[in-house]
């Protein structure tokens, strides 16, 4: 199997199984729309817009009608020059975890082989970084740093994290792991130092 593609853009998919399928294919930040949940979640959409502005965004949804509704929504909500589109082929069948195929009988992102997903990302025009460049060009915080800053693993970590999320205008329900990915995607180490010193 090929090494994961190290790319600049973040990738947005519909759900957690799609995200899991991509984890070994692309070395970048992978986010979920929570299916149609993004339609009513202004915080999630604002976060996607910020990521798009900072590093670009690749949309990779299922090839069924629902996938195209989500794709078209994002197409209208995020500037065109910050958005790339990756498409999977129409393959009929059902994913292993499901008892029956979807309404249109097509496999989704989670049902595609790693090679198909890799090719879809490359065809979308992903910015592939060379072997020495880090996929996350911004910050370099680790889980240990979040612990040291009191943002995880301490009695008041949830309250401190909530305050930081409000100040940074990020979704309030982000876990410590999601916060870490967002901080590393959006800020340079110097910017992070300034923010966290406040």
């Amino acid at each position: 199997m090929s090494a994961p593609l190290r790319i600049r853009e973040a990738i947005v998919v519909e759900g957690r199984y799609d995200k899991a399928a991509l984890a070994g294919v692309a070395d970048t930040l992978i986010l979920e729309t929570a299916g149609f949940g993004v339609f009513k979640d202004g915080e999630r959409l604002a976060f996607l817009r910020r990521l798009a502005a900072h590093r670009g965004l690749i949309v990779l949804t299922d090839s069924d009608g629902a996938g195209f509704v989500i794709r078209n929504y994002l197409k209208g909500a995020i500037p065109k020059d910050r958005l790339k589109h990756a498409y999977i082929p129409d393959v009929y069948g059902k994913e292993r975890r499901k008892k029956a195929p979807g309404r249109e009988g097509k496999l989704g992102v989670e049902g595609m082989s790693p090679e198909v997903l890799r090719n879809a990302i490359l065809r979308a025009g992903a910015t592939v970084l060379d072997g020495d460049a880090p996929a996350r060009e911004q910050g370099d915080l680790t889980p240990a740093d979040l612990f040291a800053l009191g943002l995880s693993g301490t009695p008041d970590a949830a309250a401190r994290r909530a305050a930081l999320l409000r100040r940074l205008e990020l979704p309030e329900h982000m876990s410590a792991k999601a916060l870490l990915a967002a901080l590393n995607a959006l800020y340079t180490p110097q910017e992070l130092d300034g923010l966290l010193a406040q």
Side-chain angles (χ1 to χ4, degrees):
M1 184 172 146
S2 304
L5 286 170
R6 300 166 67 79
I7 65 172
R8 174 176 170 75
E9 295 86 0
I11 299 175
V12 62
V13 295
E14 293 179 49
R16 65 182 180 190
Y17 294 105
D18 302 331
K19 183 176 178 178
L22 273 177
V25 175
D27 180 8
T28 191
L29 182 61
I30 303 168
L31 301 145
E32 304 165 36
T33 66
F36 292 143
V38 73
F39 296 172
K40 296 181 180 178
D41 190 339
E43 288 182 336
R44 188 183 303 259
L45 182 60
F47 180 46
L48 291 175
R49 284 180 173 144
R50 286 178 68 188
L51 273 174
H54 277 273
R55 58 193 288 180
L57 204 60
I58 295 174
V59 178
L60 179 57
T61 58
D62 294 350
S63 61
D64 60 6
F68 274 86
V69 169
I70 294 167
R71 182 185 297 277
N72 288 331
Y73 175 77
L74 294 174
K75 195 186 293 186
I78 294 173
K80 190 167 77 169
D81 65 327
R82 306 304 303 158
L83 200 60
K84 295 177 180 178
H85 293 275
Y87 297 92
I88 58 170
D90 284 343
V91 177
Y92 290 88
K94 74 169 191 64
E95 285 85 3
R96 283 187 206 141
R97 71 177 178 88
K98 295 181 178 176
K99 291 181 179 176
R103 182 179 301 172
E104 294 180 31
K106 298 176 183 177
L107 290 177
V109 169
E110 71 173 281
M112 295 292 132
S113 71
E115 198 56 36
V116 167
L117 294 174
R118 181 184 179 89
N119 289 336
I121 292 166
L122 290 172
R123 280 195 312 269
T127 307
V128 179
L129 303 172
D130 67 35
D132 297 327
R136 292 174 182 84
E137 297 176 324
Q138 301 286 318
D140 56 1
L141 283 179
T142 67
D145 294 322
L146 284 193
F147 178 78
L149 293 165
L151 295 169
S152 71
T154 61
D156 63 343
R160 292 171 62 88
R161 213 168 40 246
L164 179 63
L165 289 168
R166 277 192 301 276
R167 191 164 77 236
L168 300 181
E169 298 178 342
L170 292 171
E172 67 177 315
H173 298 295
M174 274 189 159
S175 65
K177 185 176 178 181
L179 172 62
L180 180 65
L183 291 174
N184 280 331
L186 293 170
Y187 301 101
T188 65
Q190 296 76 22
E191 289 168 338
L192 284 172
D193 286 345
L195 285 168
L196 297 172
Q198 295 173 11

